[in-house]
Each structure stands twice: as structure tokens, then as C-alpha cells.
Amino acid sequence: MRIVSLLPSTTEILFALGAGDDVVGVTFECDTPAEARSRTIVSSTTLPEGLSPREIDDAVAKAVADGEDLYRLDAGALSTLDADLVVTQDLCAVCALDVSTVDDALVHLGCTADVLTIDPHTLADVLASVTTLGRATGREEAASSVVAGLRTRLDAVRARVAGRPRPRVVVLEWTDPPYAPGHWIPEMVELAGGACVLGVAGERSVRTTFEDVAAARPDLVVCAPCGYDRAGAQAQADALVGSGALPAGVLVHAVDANAMWARPGPRVVDGIEELAAVLHP
């Protein structure tokens, strides 16, 4: 099987299932495992480099309002790969190519590859996507093993935090302007032994204000800007603290959002374990 993965999370899952040798095409963001960087890159972003968080938000808002794509599919590269399976999404036009763009390109190229859409909204959906990819690639047994391992780790966290006080947690999925979390992230906080006081599990992330952040009376603010690694998140956390935008004295923890929070793959469990250690050392 020849697979093109248009999501960093599904690329990680495919390699975890032992299907890495079948992956022939990836996106410019597929960086885990490192071997994925050796595959043909078939998509890139239209956003220029070096923008600040506010400039990125402005550029994204303008592109969405104008009906412009934020990602570019290299149809030429895709046509040379002779894919049997293309994995994409229809969850967030800001995060990756959506399925309609992929379908149009395949029709244009006359490609008969199967298209598999992965759209997790909850933590259960994230685990189910492992099973779905296992089924699609003939690696059901490996998928069952990966999911069982993740569930075992989640059960261990639940047991460790059970009965303990739940600190109030605000997760910022973006900092300028601030965004409260949605999808699986509120569940991550709850599983880690916290109370997610802004954002709704299973729903989209929403724009908020720092007045709302203060009104939520958080014990901890998790800085998890989508697309940023820990160093990038730390820089934004430091800027927030320095600006006085957050309540005085509140604890702030910067995470590797790109690896453990924004990508719905196996490493969200790493993020839960890390947050549990912060909330309940």
C-alpha cells in the first residue's frame, strides 16, 4: 500500500502502527518520527514566515473571509506518488488541507486512491482514529496494541489523581487574541485532575478575553498555542506575564502544544501525564 498522509497526527499514528514504510507522502509539518521528513512533501502553507501571533490571526481571519486556502497542495508531487490511500481531514480549515481540496485534486489528476477522512472531536475519537487507520492499512492487531497501551496509561493517571482537589485550569490555545480550548483539550485537563474552567469538550475553540480569563479565577494557566513547540509557547507565556494580561500571581505553564496538545495523536497522553504531574506533583 502507498499512503499519503496529510495530517501530522495520522503520520505519527501510521508509523506507530508499523506502516511507516508504506507512507510515501506527507505535509511540511510532519516531523515525527524524524524518518517522516524523508518522505515527499505534498502540501505547504500559504502563510509567510515570521509573523507574530496577532499577525497570524489577522492573516487567517482575512483568508477565511476571502475564501482563500491556507494550505497549498502540490498536485504535481501527489501525481507522481501513485497513492492507494490518502488520509486527510474535514475538521479545521486553519489546521490542514480539508477533504474537498483533496477530492478536487484527485479528480483533476484522475487518481483513484481511496480517501480516508479523520476528524476527531473528543479523546475517544482520537483513540478511535488509531483503530480506523489500523483497519484501513491491515494492521488491526498493532492498532489494538497501541490503543490498549494508551488506555493503560490513562487509567494510571485517573487512579493517581482520583479524590484529589481539582485546581482550576485555563488553557489558552492562542494568546493574541486569546482562545479558550475545545475538542479533546478540556478532557485532557479533566483527566489530569484539573477543572477546565473555559472551553467546552467536543466543541470548537472560541475566542475569549483576558477579562474572562481573570473571571474564571484560574489556579493555573496552560499556554498551549496551536502550532508552537515548548520554546515558542514559553516565549508567549513570558510575554503574557510581562504584559500583565493574566491575573496577578497565577501560575503559568508552557507546553509543547505542537506535539502533545494540538495534534490528535498518541502524544496527547504524554500531555495529560505532564499536566497531571504539574497539578498533582
Side-chain angles (χ1 to χ4, degrees):
M1 180 174 287
R2 296 174 63 80
I3 305 170
V4 172
S5 173
L6 298 177
L7 298 167
S9 57
T10 56
T11 298
E12 289 187 34
I13 293 170
L14 288 164
F15 274 85
L17 297 180
D21 288 345
D22 296 334
V23 176
V24 294
V26 296
T27 79
F28 73 105
E29 293 179 306
C30 294
D31 54 10
T32 302
E35 184 183 351
R37 302 301 293 165
S38 67
R39 304 306 193 259
T40 300
I41 295 176
V42 299
S43 76
S44 58
T45 181
T46 60
L47 291 174
E49 295 184 1
L51 298 182
S52 68
R54 170 62 71 170
E55 289 169 335
I56 292 173
D57 185 73
D58 289 344
V60 168
K62 184 178 186 304
V64 171
D66 294 344
E68 297 176 353
D69 292 330
L70 290 166
Y71 293 87
R72 184 184 300 109
L73 181 64
D74 187 341
L78 182 61
S79 67
T80 65
L81 294 177
D82 192 24
D84 302 302
L85 177 66
V86 178
V87 185
T88 186
Q89 60 95 45
D90 196 22
L91 175 67
C92 177
V94 176
C95 296
L97 283 159
D98 64 30
V99 66
S100 62
T101 301
V102 176
D103 285 340
D104 291 346
L106 294 180
V107 170
H108 175 72
L109 296 170
C111 180
T112 59
D114 291 329
V115 177
L116 177 62
T117 303
I118 301 292
D119 283 335
H121 288 75
T122 66
L123 190 59
D125 293 342
V126 174
L127 297 180
S129 67
V130 178
T131 302
T132 298
L133 284 165
R135 188 181 306 116
T137 58
R139 298 177 181 272
E140 294 94 335
E141 185 174 343
S144 295
S145 178
V146 169
V147 171
L150 295 174
R151 291 191 185 281
T152 296
R153 291 167 60 191
L154 290 173
D155 288 342
V157 174
R158 284 192 189 94
R160 186 159 67 83
V161 305
R164 298 191 181 191
R166 288 183 168 268
R168 298 171 64 83
V169 179
V170 166
V171 179
L172 294 178
E173 280 198 32
W174 201 252
T175 60
D176 188 13
Y179 272 76
H183 301 119
W184 51 87
I185 287 182
E187 292 179 274
M188 293 176 67
V189 174
E190 298 292 331
L191 282 166
C196 189
V197 292
L198 284 181
V200 179
E203 302 294 333
R204 291 184 179 275
S205 58
V206 294
R207 189 165 174 168
T208 188
T209 66
F210 285 112
E211 289 76 16
D212 288 338
V213 171
R217 298 180 291 107
D219 300 301
L220 176 71
V221 171
V222 176
C223 187
C226 183
Y228 284 82
D229 62 11
R230 194 183 302 275
Q234 186 64 61
Q236 293 189 40
D238 293 343
L240 286 179
V241 172
S243 71
L246 298 176
V250 69
L251 296 175
V252 181
H253 180 65
V255 299
D256 188 342
N258 204 33
M260 303 179 190
W261 290 75
R263 290 183 183 179
R267 288 188 292 169
V268 297
V269 177
D270 295 10
I272 293 168
E273 291 170 336
E274 179 187 321
L275 182 59
V278 172
L279 296 174
H280 303 286

